[in-house]
Amino acid sequence: MQWIAHRGVSAIAPENTLAAFRQAIALGADGIEFDVQRSQEGALVVFHDATLERTTDGQGPLREQTLTELKRLDAGSWFDPQFASERIPTLVEVLECCQAHNLRLYPEIKATQDWTRAQVQELAVLFDSKMWRDRTTFCAFDAVFLDQLHQLAPALEVAYCVSSLEQYQKVWPKVQDDGSGKVVLSIADDLIAVHPHWLTAAQAKHIPVLVWTVNEPVRQQQLQRLGVAGIITDEVSAHSLAP
């Protein structure tokens, strides 16, 4: 089972920063989940929210800022003054941070409705390489986007994110019939708690299930016993619970 650091170790460092990713590496996470968006000119950056206010000293939509403008922002002081030097990282910077370490990447693609086919192709080419092909799982809530990525780069693993019954009903038929061995479900823990048969149905079809975001040790242990493929957590110290 994979212990996956949610936006890096976001309990002890500012989310989606190189500091948070370095903490995940130091603490022995099996994987790192992070969010990918595009700047005004299309640069790939790692950031969660659509707007800048919550985790930087900037304002307004991220997509309206150039990479140069984004790089001027303080992305760490909101968490703790000691992280004042942290900046919004580019995707390339995150890859450089992680490439020498044995861990899996879980990029969650945001604002997918704004991505052109050419931009999806660019993403596929970047990851469909010897370095990353077998250690990356793309995540998104947009099934159409993942369908397109899966078609363009069938060797890359994709995870359909599920946060509602309606989403599950939409993606389950295609997931269970895919047969490629490169499709995963990523399901909110509150839904797994209510619909435990979703997990058993996926396991019967040999479809891995990731569960997010789980920080309570007792629940983590329960999910381990149920055989989930991965737990996405802010508390990577929980990695020590793994047998």
Side-chain angles (χ1 to χ4, degrees):
M1 191 196 77
Q2 292 248 305
W3 290 99
I4 304 164
H6 183 232
R7 307 176 196 170
V9 187
S10 52
I12 60 175
E15 64 179 61
N16 280 327
T17 63
L18 295 181
F21 302 140
R22 293 187 184 113
Q23 288 285 355
I25 292 166
L27 290 171
D30 298 307
I32 296 176
E33 185 269 353
F34 54 91
D35 303 286
V36 179
Q37 301 191 54
R38 286 186 175 274
S39 68
Q40 184 185 73
E41 76 274 40
L44 294 164
V45 296
V46 174
F47 196 79
H48 179 270
D49 294 4
T51 59
L52 297 164
E53 290 84 357
R54 184 176 65 86
T55 60
T56 78
D57 58 349
Q59 293 185 334
L62 177 142
R63 60 181 292 183
E64 294 180 1
Q65 304 292 316
T66 66
L67 179 59
T68 299
E69 290 168 333
L70 292 173
K71 277 297 188 181
R72 296 192 187 111
L73 301 179
D74 175 350
S77 291
W78 67 275
F79 187 88
D80 190 282
Q82 68 175 302
F83 295 107
S85 63
E86 290 301 313
R87 297 294 180 258
I88 296 173
T90 64
L91 177 58
V92 170
E93 287 172 336
V94 173
L95 296 182
E96 289 173 348
C97 175
C98 297
Q99 65 183 3
H101 304 279
N102 184 27
L103 77 170
R104 192 168 189 87
L105 303 185
Y106 295 84
E108 182 182 329
I109 311 304
K110 299 294 190 182
T112 48
Q113 70 276 8
D114 298 327
W115 289 59
T116 66
R117 184 176 180 85
Q119 290 172 332
V120 179
Q121 180 71 62
E122 176 191 354
L123 192 69
V125 169
L126 178 62
F127 282 89
D128 195 5
S129 64
K130 184 177 180 180
M131 171 68 72
W132 301 112
R133 183 181 301 121
D134 295 327
R135 48 187 290 204
T136 302
T137 301
F138 280 98
C139 308
F141 287 91
D142 185 342
V144 174
F145 175 88
L146 288 181
D147 292 345
Q148 186 177 58
L149 180 62
H150 191 36
Q151 179 186 43
L152 290 169
L156 293 173
E157 189 170 83
V158 296
Y160 291 84
C161 296
V162 175
S163 61
S164 68
L165 175 60
E166 292 75 18
Q167 280 181 322
Y168 177 81
Q169 291 172 333
K170 180 178 179 180
V171 304
W172 174 244
K174 74 172 66 184
V175 168
Q176 69 170 332
D177 294 334
D178 179 80
S180 69
K182 294 295 183 178
V183 169
V184 176
L185 281 173
S186 181
I187 306 177
D189 185 42
D190 57 348
L191 289 174
I192 288 291
V194 176
H195 304 285
H197 60 283
W198 291 3
L199 176 60
T200 55
Q203 290 170 332
K205 293 282 187 176
H206 306 288
I207 298 166
V209 175
L210 311 175
V211 184
W212 48 274
T213 302
V214 188
N215 295 328
E216 296 178 1
V218 171
R219 181 56 175 164
Q220 291 171 342
Q221 291 173 326
Q222 290 173 342
L223 290 168
Q224 260 190 296
R225 290 193 293 269
L226 290 171
V228 302
I231 290 175
I232 300 173
T233 178
D234 300 319
E235 303 281 355
V236 176
S237 58
H239 183 253
S240 62
L241 295 173

